[in-house]
Amino acid sequence: NLPIDIAKNLGADIVIGINVSPLRKDVSEINNVFDVLTQSILLGYEDDDTYYYLGKAYNNIDKKKQALESFQMAVKLAPENGKSHFELGVIYESIFKLEKALTEYDIARKYINSDQLNYNYGCLLYNQDNFQEALEPLRSYIINNPHDYDVLEILGNVFIQQNRYSEAIDTYIRLIDEFPNQEIYYKNIADSYYALQNYTQAKIYYMEVLSYNEENPEILFILGKISNI
């Protein structure tokens, strides 16, 4: 039998090692995790960290039901265990229980702040068309990940949905700097300038859109409207 602190630390080290190198799913290592963490529980040391690492171990071998039960036990023992709430959110999202996932992510953000949490929470809100709530976590995420252009594009769309056209323009200009041949970026900038009644700039960007298809009826119609303003 291992002393409880050694058992927990050993279990944690093995789980972390597997997370860092996903190919290291050696059977003996996995069994070692379960041995030391189960021993901790049998000895009566039922704390939230033990169940958290047990949940991580189960998750690494795709036993979601057991992982879910472990993380649930962790938050039952310590409702402020943000990392376990986050893991519950990840599992719920993976099995399409999206409202439960949102609830767990929301609770997790009260106790921890991480890029992955902000990304998961923001993208899930965005995918459910909850643009206003998605904005804050996604902006927090992009501060530390300025070259995640997929999220930057999402933010541009959110700004448009929220009628925040100046911010949308700034965002799509950043995207054009990296991807100068994306017609939709020019279109979104043009639409934003049009919404702001800056018809001179709108015309410039609509002309860029027209360069991809000179017979685009929508753009020709809008340019005709601008000419009559």
Side-chain angles (χ1 to χ4, degrees):
N1 287 342
L2 292 170
I4 180 62
D5 57 339
I6 296 176
K8 282 175 56 181
N9 289 336
L10 179 58
D13 287 344
I14 295 170
V15 172
I16 291 168
I18 295 170
N19 284 344
V20 171
S21 180
L23 297 178
R24 289 182 57 207
K25 293 191 178 181
D26 181 82
V27 173
S28 63
E29 287 189 338
I30 294 292
N31 289 337
N32 202 3
V33 170
F34 292 121
D35 286 345
V36 295
L37 294 177
T38 303
Q39 177 186 324
S40 300
I41 294 170
L42 291 175
L43 289 172
Y45 296 96
E46 293 188 285
D47 66 7
D48 57 307
D49 274 344
T50 302
Y51 280 103
Y52 169 77
Y53 285 115
L54 189 60
K56 294 287 284 184
Y58 277 125
N59 223 12
N60 273 307
I61 57 172
D62 297 321
K63 290 193 174 183
K64 294 188 185 300
K65 180 177 182 294
Q66 293 91 331
L68 192 67
E69 292 170 349
S70 298
F71 292 129
Q72 286 172 334
M73 191 64 185
V75 299
K76 180 180 180 180
L77 291 169
E80 74 283 359
N81 188 323
K83 59 188 180 182
S84 291
H85 283 292
F86 169 69
E87 295 294 344
L88 282 170
V90 172
I91 293 175
Y92 282 132
E93 187 173 359
S94 73
I95 59 177
F96 304 105
K97 293 187 176 182
L98 303 184
E99 289 305 318
K100 287 188 174 183
L102 285 173
T103 297
E104 294 298 337
Y105 288 149
D106 188 45
I107 296 171
R109 295 183 84 236
K110 295 176 182 177
Y111 303 108
I112 60 174
N113 181 31
S114 74
D115 288 342
Q116 191 62 55
L117 173 56
N118 286 327
Y119 174 86
N120 286 24
Y121 187 48
C123 287
L124 184 52
L125 288 166
Y126 173 78
N127 289 332
Q128 293 197 313
D129 294 336
N130 196 337
F131 303 118
Q132 184 171 347
E133 289 190 30
L135 190 54
E136 187 271 323
L138 290 176
R139 292 185 83 169
S140 296
Y141 170 82
I142 207 69
I143 289 171
N144 295 325
N145 302 272
H147 301 300
D148 190 329
Y149 299 111
D150 289 335
V151 171
L152 202 58
E153 185 170 336
I154 288 173
L155 275 171
N157 293 335
V158 170
F159 287 135
I160 287 177
Q161 293 294 332
Q162 293 292 297
N163 299 328
R164 298 171 68 158
Y165 297 113
S166 294
E167 290 164 291
I169 290 166
D170 291 341
T171 301
Y172 285 113
I173 286 175
R174 284 177 61 186
L175 286 164
I176 285 174
D177 286 341
E178 296 295 327
F179 308 102
N181 296 315
Q182 290 294 317
E183 177 184 354
I184 189 62
Y185 297 161
Y186 296 99
K187 172 69 161 54
N188 289 342
I189 292 173
D191 288 344
S192 296
Y193 274 124
Y194 190 91
L196 292 171
Q197 299 184 353
N198 186 336
Y199 302 118
T200 300
Q201 288 297 315
K203 181 177 180 179
I204 291 171
Y205 281 93
Y206 280 130
M207 292 300 294
E208 287 286 348
V209 178
L210 207 60
S211 70
Y212 290 90
N213 177 8
E214 294 180 356
E215 298 180 359
N216 186 319
E218 178 189 2
I219 304 304
L220 290 172
F221 177 75
I222 295 173
L223 286 171
K225 288 177 63 176
I226 290 175
S227 298
N228 292 325
I229 292 174

